[in-house]
Protein backbone atom coordinates (compact mmCIF):
# COMPACT_ATOMS: atom_id res chain seq x y z
CA UNK A 1 0.00 0.00 0.00
CA UNK A 2 1.60 3.26 -1.07
CA UNK A 3 1.84 6.25 1.20
CA UNK A 4 -0.91 8.86 0.78
CA UNK A 5 -1.22 12.55 1.68
CA UNK A 6 -3.99 15.11 1.79
CA UNK A 7 -4.27 16.87 -1.57
CA UNK A 8 -5.90 19.99 -0.15
CA UNK A 9 -8.52 19.61 -2.91
CA UNK A 10 -11.99 18.98 -1.53
CA UNK A 11 -13.24 16.77 -4.35
CA UNK A 12 -10.00 14.75 -4.55
CA UNK A 13 -9.11 13.93 -0.96
CA UNK A 14 -5.91 11.98 -0.50
CA UNK A 15 -3.39 11.34 -3.30
CA UNK A 16 -0.12 9.39 -3.42
CA UNK A 17 2.63 11.11 -1.43
CA UNK A 18 4.83 11.29 -4.54
CA UNK A 19 2.28 13.33 -6.50
CA UNK A 20 2.52 17.09 -6.68
CA UNK A 21 -0.35 19.55 -6.31
CA UNK A 22 -0.18 22.60 -8.57
CA UNK A 23 -2.38 25.45 -9.78
CA UNK A 24 -3.87 24.65 -13.16
CA UNK A 25 -1.94 27.52 -14.83
CA UNK A 26 1.31 25.57 -14.43
CA UNK A 27 -0.19 22.44 -15.96
CA UNK A 28 -1.80 23.87 -19.10
CA UNK A 29 -1.96 27.08 -21.12
CA UNK A 30 -4.84 28.48 -23.13
CA UNK A 31 -4.23 28.62 -26.89
CA UNK A 32 -6.39 30.60 -29.27
CA UNK A 33 -5.63 30.95 -32.98
CA UNK A 34 -8.42 32.51 -35.05
CA UNK A 35 -8.98 31.36 -38.63
CA UNK A 36 -10.25 34.54 -40.24
CA UNK A 37 -11.57 32.80 -43.38
CA UNK A 38 -13.07 29.32 -43.25
CA UNK A 39 -11.45 26.98 -45.78
CA UNK A 40 -13.50 23.78 -45.54
CA UNK A 41 -11.82 22.54 -42.37
CA UNK A 42 -13.51 20.02 -40.10
CA UNK A 43 -16.05 21.68 -37.80
CA UNK A 44 -15.26 20.46 -34.31
CA UNK A 45 -17.92 20.29 -31.57
CA UNK A 46 -17.90 19.38 -27.90
CA UNK A 47 -20.61 16.81 -27.18
CA UNK A 48 -21.63 14.19 -24.65
CA UNK A 49 -19.70 11.74 -26.81
CA UNK A 50 -16.53 13.81 -26.57
CA UNK A 51 -15.00 16.12 -29.16
CA UNK A 52 -16.47 15.16 -32.52
CA UNK A 53 -16.27 16.21 -36.15
CA UNK A 54 -19.69 17.66 -36.89
CA UNK A 55 -21.69 16.27 -39.79
CA UNK A 56 -22.78 19.39 -41.65
CA UNK A 57 -25.28 17.39 -43.70
CA UNK A 58 -27.20 16.36 -40.57
CA UNK A 59 -28.84 19.76 -40.18
CA UNK A 60 -29.37 21.49 -36.87
CA UNK A 61 -28.54 25.02 -35.79
CA UNK A 62 -25.78 26.56 -37.93
CA UNK A 63 -24.03 29.94 -37.90
CA UNK A 64 -24.18 32.06 -41.04
CA UNK A 65 -20.45 31.56 -41.51
CA UNK A 66 -17.56 29.68 -39.94
CA UNK A 67 -15.24 32.64 -40.59
CA UNK A 68 -13.58 33.70 -37.34
CA UNK A 69 -13.68 30.23 -35.80
CA UNK A 70 -10.58 29.14 -33.88
CA UNK A 71 -8.18 26.41 -35.00
CA UNK A 72 -7.96 23.35 -32.75
CA UNK A 73 -5.22 20.73 -32.75
CA UNK A 74 -5.22 17.00 -31.91
CA UNK A 75 -3.92 16.22 -28.42
CA UNK A 76 -5.15 19.44 -26.82
CA UNK A 77 -8.03 19.80 -24.39
CA UNK A 78 -11.24 21.59 -25.29
CA UNK A 79 -13.28 23.13 -22.48
CA UNK A 80 -16.57 24.95 -22.20
CA UNK A 81 -16.07 27.46 -19.37
CA UNK A 82 -19.50 29.10 -19.51
CA UNK A 83 -22.97 27.93 -18.46
CA UNK A 84 -21.18 25.39 -16.29
CA UNK A 85 -24.38 24.65 -14.40
CA UNK A 86 -26.35 23.50 -17.46
CA UNK A 87 -23.85 22.31 -20.08
CA UNK A 88 -23.91 18.49 -19.88
CA UNK A 89 -20.27 18.06 -20.94
CA UNK A 90 -17.61 20.73 -20.38
CA UNK A 91 -14.41 18.83 -21.25
CA UNK A 92 -13.15 16.90 -24.25
CA UNK A 93 -9.93 15.61 -25.80
CA UNK A 94 -9.33 16.88 -29.34
CA UNK A 95 -8.52 14.08 -31.79
CA UNK A 96 -8.96 15.82 -35.15
CA UNK A 97 -7.61 19.01 -36.72
CA UNK A 98 -10.29 21.57 -37.49
CA UNK A 99 -12.01 24.73 -36.34
CA UNK A 100 -14.51 25.33 -33.56
CA UNK A 101 -16.45 28.13 -31.96
CA UNK A 102 -14.23 30.82 -30.41
CA UNK A 103 -16.45 30.53 -27.32
CA UNK A 104 -14.68 27.30 -26.39
CA UNK A 105 -11.29 27.28 -24.64
CA UNK A 106 -8.43 25.18 -26.01
CA UNK A 107 -5.56 24.22 -23.71
CA UNK A 108 -2.03 23.03 -24.49
CA UNK A 109 -0.25 20.97 -21.85
CA UNK A 110 2.90 22.34 -20.16
CA UNK A 111 6.08 20.55 -19.07
CA UNK A 112 5.28 17.23 -20.71
CA UNK A 113 2.01 16.71 -18.84
CA UNK A 114 -0.30 14.30 -20.64
CA UNK A 115 -3.58 15.69 -21.92
CA UNK A 116 -5.19 12.25 -21.71
CA UNK A 117 -4.75 12.19 -17.95
CA UNK A 118 -6.23 15.67 -17.49
CA UNK A 119 -9.09 14.78 -19.78
CA UNK A 120 -10.02 11.93 -17.45
CA UNK A 121 -9.37 14.08 -14.38
CA UNK A 122 -11.60 16.95 -15.52
CA UNK A 123 -14.19 14.49 -16.83
CA UNK A 124 -14.41 13.22 -13.25
CA UNK A 125 -14.72 16.80 -11.96
CA UNK A 126 -17.25 17.69 -14.65
CA UNK A 127 -19.54 14.78 -13.82
CA UNK A 128 -19.84 15.89 -10.22
CA UNK A 129 -19.90 19.62 -11.09
CA UNK A 130 -17.43 20.03 -8.23
CA UNK A 131 -16.35 23.45 -9.53
CA UNK A 132 -19.85 24.89 -9.69
CA UNK A 133 -19.54 26.78 -6.39
CA UNK A 134 -16.52 28.64 -7.81
CA UNK A 135 -18.42 30.00 -10.84
CA UNK A 136 -20.49 32.67 -9.13
CA UNK A 137 -21.45 35.04 -11.94
CA UNK A 138 -24.83 34.94 -13.70
CA UNK A 139 -23.65 32.61 -16.47
CA UNK A 140 -21.67 30.34 -14.13
CA UNK A 141 -18.53 30.85 -16.19
CA UNK A 142 -14.81 30.74 -15.45
CA UNK A 143 -12.18 33.19 -16.60
CA UNK A 144 -8.78 31.87 -17.63
CA UNK A 145 -7.38 33.31 -14.39
CA UNK A 146 -10.01 31.55 -12.25
CA UNK A 147 -9.37 28.22 -13.92
CA UNK A 148 -5.62 28.74 -13.67
CA UNK A 149 -5.83 29.19 -9.89
CA UNK A 150 -7.66 25.90 -9.31
CA UNK A 151 -5.43 23.22 -7.82
CA UNK A 152 -5.02 19.86 -9.54
CA UNK A 153 -2.94 16.73 -8.88
CA UNK A 154 0.24 16.16 -10.91
CA UNK A 155 1.38 12.51 -11.03
CA UNK A 156 4.71 11.74 -12.65
CA UNK A 157 4.54 11.80 -16.45
CA UNK A 158 5.05 8.05 -16.54
CA UNK A 159 2.14 7.50 -14.16
CA UNK A 160 -0.08 9.81 -16.18
CA UNK A 161 0.51 7.63 -19.24
CA UNK A 162 -0.02 4.42 -17.27
CA UNK A 163 -3.30 5.68 -15.85
CA UNK A 164 -4.57 6.78 -19.27
CA UNK A 165 -3.59 3.47 -20.91
CA UNK A 166 -5.37 1.52 -18.17
CA UNK A 167 -8.50 3.69 -18.21
CA UNK A 168 -8.65 3.65 -22.02
CA UNK A 169 -8.66 -0.15 -21.94
CA UNK A 170 -11.13 -0.52 -19.09
CA UNK A 171 -13.50 2.22 -20.29
CA UNK A 172 -13.50 0.80 -23.83
CA UNK A 173 -14.63 -2.55 -22.44
CA UNK A 174 -17.32 -0.89 -20.34
CA UNK A 175 -18.50 1.21 -23.30
CA UNK A 176 -18.63 -1.88 -25.54
CA UNK A 177 -20.74 -3.73 -22.97
CA UNK A 178 -23.01 -0.69 -22.57
CA UNK A 179 -23.40 -0.45 -26.35
CA UNK A 180 -24.44 -4.12 -26.53
CA UNK A 181 -27.01 -3.57 -23.76
CA UNK A 182 -28.33 -0.45 -25.51
CA UNK A 183 -28.78 -2.50 -28.70
CA UNK A 184 -30.73 -5.06 -26.68
CA UNK A 185 -32.94 -2.25 -25.33
CA UNK A 186 -33.54 -0.96 -28.85
CA UNK A 187 -34.48 -4.46 -30.03
CA UNK A 188 -36.90 -4.85 -27.11
CA UNK A 189 -38.46 -1.45 -27.85
CA UNK A 190 -38.85 -2.37 -31.52
CA UNK A 191 -40.32 -5.72 -30.51
CA UNK A 192 -42.81 -3.99 -28.23
CA UNK A 193 -43.89 -1.70 -31.08
CA UNK A 194 -44.34 -4.66 -33.42
CA UNK A 195 -46.36 -6.61 -30.83
CA UNK A 196 -48.68 -3.63 -30.33
CA UNK A 197 -49.09 -2.90 -34.04
CA UNK A 198 -49.78 -6.53 -34.89
CA UNK A 199 -52.34 -6.92 -32.09
CA UNK A 200 -54.29 -3.71 -32.71
CA UNK A 201 -54.39 -4.04 -36.50
CA UNK A 202 -54.59 -7.83 -37.04
CA UNK A 203 -56.00 -9.17 -33.78
CA UNK A 204 -54.81 -12.18 -31.80
CA UNK A 205 -56.23 -15.00 -33.92
CA UNK A 206 -53.73 -15.88 -36.66
CA UNK A 207 -56.38 -18.03 -38.39
CA UNK A 208 -59.02 -15.28 -38.61
CA UNK A 209 -60.56 -14.68 -42.03
CA UNK A 210 -59.30 -11.34 -43.35
CA UNK A 211 -60.57 -8.53 -45.59
CA UNK A 212 -59.14 -5.33 -47.03
CA UNK A 213 -59.46 -2.46 -44.54
CA UNK A 214 -59.36 0.27 -47.17
CA UNK A 215 -56.59 1.88 -45.10
CA UNK A 216 -53.38 1.60 -47.07
CA UNK A 217 -50.88 1.28 -44.22
CA UNK A 218 -53.02 -1.22 -42.30
CA UNK A 219 -53.90 -3.49 -45.20
CA UNK A 220 -56.04 -6.45 -44.23
CA UNK A 221 -58.03 -6.69 -40.99
CA UNK A 222 -60.20 -9.49 -39.57
CA UNK A 223 -63.48 -9.89 -41.48
CA UNK A 224 -65.71 -8.79 -38.58
CA UNK A 225 -63.73 -5.58 -37.90
CA UNK A 226 -64.81 -2.22 -39.30
CA UNK A 227 -62.85 0.70 -40.74
CA UNK A 228 -64.44 3.87 -39.41
CA UNK A 229 -63.61 7.57 -38.97
CA UNK A 230 -62.86 8.91 -35.51
CA UNK A 231 -65.90 11.17 -36.00
CA UNK A 232 -68.13 8.14 -35.37
CA UNK A 233 -66.12 6.91 -32.37
CA UNK A 234 -65.27 10.01 -30.32
CA UNK A 235 -66.57 13.46 -29.65
CA UNK A 236 -65.24 16.28 -27.52
CA UNK A 237 -67.83 17.29 -24.92
CA UNK A 238 -66.25 19.98 -22.77
CA UNK A 239 -67.19 19.81 -19.09
CA UNK A 240 -65.78 22.70 -17.01
CA UNK A 241 -63.45 21.68 -14.20
CA UNK A 242 -64.82 21.88 -10.67
CA UNK A 243 -63.30 22.80 -7.33
CA UNK A 244 -62.66 19.17 -6.39
CA UNK A 245 -60.62 18.38 -9.50
CA UNK A 246 -56.91 17.81 -9.25
CA UNK A 247 -54.58 18.93 -12.03
CA UNK A 248 -53.48 16.35 -14.62
CA UNK A 249 -50.87 16.55 -17.37
CA UNK A 250 -49.59 14.23 -20.09
CA UNK A 251 -46.14 12.71 -20.32
CA UNK A 252 -44.84 10.31 -22.96
CA UNK A 253 -43.51 7.97 -20.28
CA UNK A 254 -46.30 7.85 -17.71
CA UNK A 255 -49.41 8.95 -19.57
CA UNK A 256 -51.89 11.20 -17.82
CA UNK A 257 -50.64 11.84 -14.28
CA UNK A 258 -51.41 14.17 -11.41
CA UNK A 259 -49.26 17.29 -11.10
CA UNK A 260 -48.53 19.56 -8.15
CA UNK A 261 -49.81 22.63 -10.00
CA UNK A 262 -53.17 22.61 -8.25
CA UNK A 263 -53.64 24.98 -5.30
CA UNK A 264 -56.71 25.13 -3.10
CA UNK A 265 -57.77 28.46 -4.58
CA UNK A 266 -56.54 27.82 -8.12
CA UNK A 267 -60.00 27.54 -9.68
CA UNK A 268 -60.83 30.97 -8.30
CA UNK A 269 -58.04 32.53 -10.33
CA UNK A 270 -57.93 33.32 -14.02
CA UNK A 271 -55.02 30.88 -14.42
CA UNK A 272 -57.43 27.93 -14.26
CA UNK A 273 -60.35 29.37 -16.15
CA UNK A 274 -61.56 27.21 -19.04
CA UNK A 275 -59.89 24.09 -17.67
CA UNK A 276 -61.65 20.85 -18.58
CA UNK A 277 -62.98 18.05 -16.41
CA UNK A 278 -61.66 14.53 -17.16
CA UNK A 279 -63.33 11.23 -16.35
CA UNK A 280 -61.76 7.77 -16.22
CA UNK A 281 -61.59 6.36 -19.75
CA UNK A 282 -61.66 9.73 -21.52
CA UNK A 283 -59.15 9.95 -24.34
CA UNK A 284 -56.98 12.99 -23.71
CA UNK A 285 -54.87 14.72 -26.35
CA UNK A 286 -52.32 17.47 -25.81
CA UNK A 287 -53.03 19.35 -29.00
CA UNK A 288 -49.73 21.22 -28.94
CA UNK A 289 -47.73 18.00 -28.87
CA UNK A 290 -49.78 16.15 -31.42
CA UNK A 291 -46.64 15.47 -33.48
CA UNK A 292 -45.56 13.19 -30.62
CA UNK A 293 -48.79 11.23 -30.69
CA UNK A 294 -49.50 12.02 -27.05
CA UNK A 295 -52.99 10.53 -26.67
CA UNK A 296 -53.83 8.64 -23.49
CA UNK A 297 -56.84 6.99 -21.93
CA UNK A 298 -57.27 8.59 -18.52
CA UNK A 299 -56.96 6.41 -15.41
CA UNK A 300 -58.05 9.26 -13.14
CA UNK A 301 -60.72 11.86 -12.50
CA UNK A 302 -59.23 15.34 -12.64
CA UNK A 303 -58.79 18.36 -14.87
CA UNK A 304 -56.56 19.44 -17.75
CA UNK A 305 -55.83 22.84 -19.25
CA UNK A 306 -57.73 24.25 -22.20
CA UNK A 307 -54.81 23.21 -24.48
CA UNK A 308 -55.94 19.60 -24.18
CA UNK A 309 -58.70 17.82 -26.06
CA UNK A 310 -60.90 15.58 -23.89
CA UNK A 311 -62.79 13.01 -25.95
CA UNK A 312 -65.61 10.70 -24.91
CA UNK A 313 -66.76 7.67 -26.85
CA UNK A 314 -70.06 8.01 -28.67
CA UNK A 315 -70.25 4.30 -29.30
CA UNK A 316 -69.33 1.37 -27.12
CA UNK A 317 -65.56 0.88 -27.14
CA UNK A 318 -62.51 0.32 -24.94
CA UNK A 319 -60.56 3.61 -24.90
CA UNK A 320 -57.32 1.88 -23.87
CA UNK A 321 -57.44 -0.05 -27.15
CA UNK A 322 -57.40 3.27 -28.99
CA UNK A 323 -54.54 4.52 -26.85
CA UNK A 324 -52.53 1.54 -28.09
CA UNK A 325 -53.75 2.04 -31.68
CA UNK A 326 -53.04 5.78 -31.77
CA UNK A 327 -49.54 5.26 -30.37
CA UNK A 328 -48.43 3.14 -33.31
CA UNK A 329 -45.86 4.88 -35.49
CA UNK A 330 -48.20 5.23 -38.44
CA UNK A 331 -50.95 6.93 -36.47
CA UNK A 332 -48.47 9.31 -34.85
CA UNK A 333 -47.20 10.19 -38.32
CA UNK A 334 -50.76 10.77 -39.55
CA UNK A 335 -51.60 13.05 -36.61
CA UNK A 336 -48.36 14.97 -37.11
CA UNK A 337 -49.19 15.49 -40.77
CA UNK A 338 -52.63 16.85 -39.88
CA UNK A 339 -51.31 19.22 -37.22
CA UNK A 340 -51.37 22.87 -38.17
CA UNK A 341 -48.66 25.38 -37.32
CA UNK A 342 -45.21 26.22 -38.65
CA UNK A 343 -43.37 25.76 -35.35
CA UNK A 344 -43.13 22.11 -34.27
CA UNK A 345 -43.67 22.92 -30.60
CA UNK A 346 -46.90 24.77 -31.48
CA UNK A 347 -48.43 22.25 -33.85
CA UNK A 348 -52.15 21.97 -33.20
CA UNK A 349 -54.32 18.96 -34.04
CA UNK A 350 -57.81 20.36 -34.50
CA UNK A 351 -60.99 18.42 -33.75
CA UNK A 352 -61.90 18.45 -37.43
CA UNK A 353 -58.60 16.85 -38.41
CA UNK A 354 -58.73 14.34 -35.57
CA UNK A 355 -62.28 13.33 -36.56
CA UNK A 356 -61.25 12.93 -40.21
CA UNK A 357 -58.74 10.17 -39.48
CA UNK A 358 -59.95 6.69 -40.37
CA UNK A 359 -59.46 4.13 -37.60
CA UNK A 360 -60.53 0.54 -37.10
CA UNK A 361 -63.25 -0.82 -34.85
CA UNK A 362 -62.98 -4.44 -33.71
CA UNK A 363 -65.87 -6.00 -31.76
CA UNK A 364 -65.79 -4.62 -28.22
CA UNK A 365 -65.16 -8.01 -26.61
CA UNK A 366 -62.13 -8.40 -28.86
CA UNK A 367 -60.91 -4.89 -28.01
CA UNK A 368 -61.01 -5.89 -24.34
CA UNK A 369 -59.09 -9.11 -24.94
CA UNK A 370 -56.45 -7.25 -27.01
CA UNK A 371 -55.99 -4.67 -24.24
CA UNK A 372 -55.62 -7.39 -21.60
CA UNK A 373 -53.06 -9.19 -23.76
CA UNK A 374 -51.09 -6.01 -24.48
CA UNK A 375 -51.16 -4.84 -20.87
CA UNK A 376 -49.58 -8.15 -19.82
CA UNK A 377 -47.17 -8.45 -22.75
CA UNK A 378 -46.00 -4.84 -22.61
CA UNK A 379 -45.50 -5.08 -18.85
CA UNK A 380 -43.23 -8.09 -19.40
CA UNK A 381 -41.23 -6.26 -22.07
CA UNK A 382 -41.06 -3.09 -19.95
CA UNK A 383 -39.68 -5.14 -17.05
CA UNK A 384 -36.93 -6.50 -19.30
CA UNK A 385 -36.15 -2.99 -20.59
CA UNK A 386 -36.04 -1.59 -17.05
CA UNK A 387 -33.62 -4.35 -16.04
CA UNK A 388 -31.37 -3.52 -19.00
CA UNK A 389 -31.47 0.18 -18.09
CA UNK A 390 -30.47 -0.67 -14.52
CA UNK A 391 -27.52 -2.55 -15.96
CA UNK A 392 -26.57 0.59 -17.89
CA UNK A 393 -26.81 2.67 -14.71
CA UNK A 394 -24.60 0.20 -12.86
CA UNK A 395 -22.02 0.31 -15.65
CA UNK A 396 -22.10 4.12 -15.74
CA UNK A 397 -21.59 4.32 -11.98
CA UNK A 398 -18.77 1.77 -12.16
CA UNK A 399 -17.07 3.77 -14.92
CA UNK A 400 -17.32 6.99 -12.91
CA UNK A 401 -15.93 5.23 -9.83
CA UNK A 402 -13.10 3.68 -11.84
CA UNK A 403 -12.03 7.03 -13.28
CA UNK A 404 -12.19 8.70 -9.87
CA UNK A 405 -10.14 6.00 -8.14
CA UNK A 406 -7.32 6.03 -10.70
CA UNK A 407 -7.04 9.75 -11.53
CA UNK A 408 -6.85 10.53 -7.81
CA UNK A 409 -4.42 7.70 -7.08
CA UNK A 410 -6.74 5.83 -4.69
CA UNK A 411 -5.92 2.76 -6.75
CA UNK A 412 -2.64 2.00 -8.46
CA UNK A 413 -2.48 0.72 -12.03
CA UNK A 414 -1.79 -3.04 -11.91
CA UNK A 415 1.81 -3.91 -12.69
CA UNK A 416 0.92 -5.98 -15.75
CA UNK A 417 -1.03 -3.13 -17.34
Amino acid sequence: MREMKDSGIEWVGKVPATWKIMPNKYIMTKKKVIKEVYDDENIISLSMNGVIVRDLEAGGKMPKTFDGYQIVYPGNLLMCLFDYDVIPRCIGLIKDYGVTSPAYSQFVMNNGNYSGYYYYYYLMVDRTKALLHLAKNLRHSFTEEQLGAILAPVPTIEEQHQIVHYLDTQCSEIDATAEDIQKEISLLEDYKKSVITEAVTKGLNPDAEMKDSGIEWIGEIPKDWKAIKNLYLFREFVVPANKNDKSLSLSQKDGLVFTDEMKESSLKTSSYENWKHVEIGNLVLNRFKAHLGVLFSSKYVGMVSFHYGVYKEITTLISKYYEYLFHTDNFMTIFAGLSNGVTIGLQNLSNQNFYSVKSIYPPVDEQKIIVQYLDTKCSEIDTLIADKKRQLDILADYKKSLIYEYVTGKKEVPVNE
Side-chain angles (χ1 to χ4, degrees):
M1 188 65 139
R2 54 182 171 178
E3 184 183 354
M4 305 292 283
K5 68 179 180 182
D6 183 24
S7 68
I9 306 171
E10 179 184 354
W11 53 88
V12 171
K14 291 186 176 182
V15 296
T18 57
W19 289 18
K20 298 177 181 178
I21 303 297
M22 292 184 178
N24 214 47
K25 62 184 177 182
Y26 297 117
I27 298 170
M28 61 184 75
T29 301
K30 187 174 179 179
K31 178 184 181 72
K32 193 165 193 176
V33 179
I34 296 297
K35 186 82 164 50
E36 298 294 345
V37 180
Y38 175 62
D39 191 24
D40 204 30
E41 292 88 358
N42 289 326
I43 301 300
I44 305 297
S45 292
L46 181 57
S47 74
M48 284 295 292
N49 296 318
V51 179
I52 61 171
V53 175
R54 185 170 178 180
D55 180 5
L56 300 183
E57 301 298 322
K61 190 175 180 180
M62 294 278 189
K64 291 181 179 180
T65 178
F66 296 114
D67 293 349
Y69 265 36
Q70 64 172 315
I71 301 173
V72 292
Y73 301 89
N76 292 340
L77 294 180
L78 193 63
M79 291 189 179
C80 180
L81 300 180
F82 56 90
D83 295 335
Y84 185 75
D85 57 329
V86 294
I87 297 294
R89 180 65 67 242
C90 293
I91 178 69
L93 181 63
I94 301 168
K95 297 181 179 179
D96 301 276
Y97 173 82
V99 295
T100 193
S101 168
Y104 290 133
S105 298
Q106 177 182 200
F107 289 92
V108 179
M109 308 311 297
N110 299 332
N111 303 317
N113 286 304
Y114 188 27
S115 58
Y117 169 79
Y118 287 97
Y119 162 67
Y120 278 119
Y121 174 76
Y122 278 106
L123 183 63
M124 178 269 293
V125 174
D126 189 29
R127 281 172 172 159
T128 62
K129 295 298 180 187
L131 301 179
L132 183 57
H133 68 288
L134 300 175
K136 297 179 179 178
N137 56 37
L138 288 176
R139 292 207 60 180
H140 292 93
S141 60
F142 294 94
T143 65
E144 185 180 350
E145 290 72 27
Q146 286 175 313
L147 184 68
I150 295 171
L151 296 176
V154 185
T156 66
I157 305 302
E158 181 181 4
E159 282 182 284
Q160 291 181 31
H161 282 266
Q162 289 172 347
I163 291 168
V164 170
H165 175 71
Y166 182 74
L167 288 177
D168 280 350
T169 301
Q170 297 298 313
C171 290
S172 292
E173 292 177 2
I174 294 170
D175 291 344
T177 302
E179 186 176 347
D180 288 341
I181 294 172
Q182 186 58 61
K183 288 178 181 177
E184 292 173 1
I185 291 173
S186 296
L187 288 173
L188 284 168
E189 290 173 339
D190 289 342
Y191 174 58
K192 179 180 174 181
K193 285 183 178 181
S194 69
V195 166
I196 292 172
T197 300
E198 182 71 15
V200 297
T201 61
K202 306 300 179 186
L204 301 179
N205 180 8
D207 300 320
E209 187 178 352
M210 308 294 280
K211 68 178 182 182
D212 182 28
S213 68
I215 304 173
E216 183 178 356
W217 72 268
I218 292 179
E220 291 189 330
I221 56 175
K223 188 177 180 180
D224 57 346
W225 291 24
K226 298 177 182 177
I228 187 169
K229 286 185 178 182
N230 286 336
L231 175 67
Y232 303 108
L233 298 174
F234 300 99
R235 200 64 53 85
E236 183 175 28
F237 295 105
V238 177
V239 177
N242 63 64
K243 64 181 180 180
N244 296 318
D245 285 338
K246 293 183 179 180
S247 176
L248 294 163
S249 65
L250 278 173
S251 77
Q252 279 283 57
K253 179 182 177 183
D254 302 312
L256 198 65
V257 295
F258 288 115
T259 69
D260 59 1
E261 296 173 347
M262 190 64 179
K263 309 296 181 185
E264 289 185 7
S265 61
S266 59
L267 283 174
K268 298 177 182 178
T269 70
S270 60
S271 299
Y272 287 86
E273 288 180 3
N274 301 320
W275 280 51
K276 302 172 183 178
H277 180 73
V278 177
E279 293 286 344
I280 295 173
N282 289 165
L283 195 69
V284 180
L285 161 71
N286 186 339
R287 299 187 190 282
F288 293 97
K289 292 184 179 177
H291 62 294
L292 298 177
V294 185
L295 282 138
F296 286 93
S297 172
S298 180
K299 296 181 289 185
Y300 308 106
V301 173
M303 70 172 185
V304 292
S305 84
F306 58 88
H307 293 300
Y308 290 80
V310 181
Y311 299 93
K312 299 180 181 180
E313 66 270 21
I314 56 174
T315 189
T316 305
L317 55 81
I318 307 299
S319 62
K320 185 64 185 289
Y321 167 82
Y322 287 92
E323 176 183 320
Y324 279 122
L325 180 67
F326 292 157
H327 276 211
T328 57
D329 287 344
N330 281 291
F331 264 105
M332 289 196 289
T333 299
I334 290 168
F335 289 141
L338 292 173
S339 297
N340 303 315
V342 177
T343 304
I344 289 179
L346 295 178
Q347 285 182 327
N348 184 345
L349 182 62
S350 67
N351 279 338
Q352 181 180 357
N353 285 339
F354 174 67
Y355 294 148
S356 71
V357 175
K358 207 169 189 181
S359 298
I360 45 182
Y361 182 75
V364 175
D365 287 346
E366 197 165 352
Q367 291 181 34
K368 186 175 181 179
I369 292 170
I370 290 170
V371 167
Q372 291 172 341
Y373 166 77
L374 288 177
D375 282 349
T376 300
K377 191 69 175 178
C378 291
S379 178
E380 293 171 356
I381 298 171
D382 288 342
T383 298
L384 292 173
I385 291 173
D387 182 60
K388 296 294 181 184
K389 289 182 176 179
R390 280 192 293 270
Q391 293 177 36
L392 287 180
D393 290 340
I394 291 169
L395 281 174
D397 288 342
Y398 173 62
K399 182 177 177 180
K400 291 176 185 177
S401 174
L402 191 73
I403 293 172
Y404 170 77
E405 289 171 339
Y406 283 94
V407 298
T408 63
K410 306 292 187 298
K411 286 188 176 180
E412 190 170 6
V413 174
V415 177
N416 60 342
E417 294 295 333

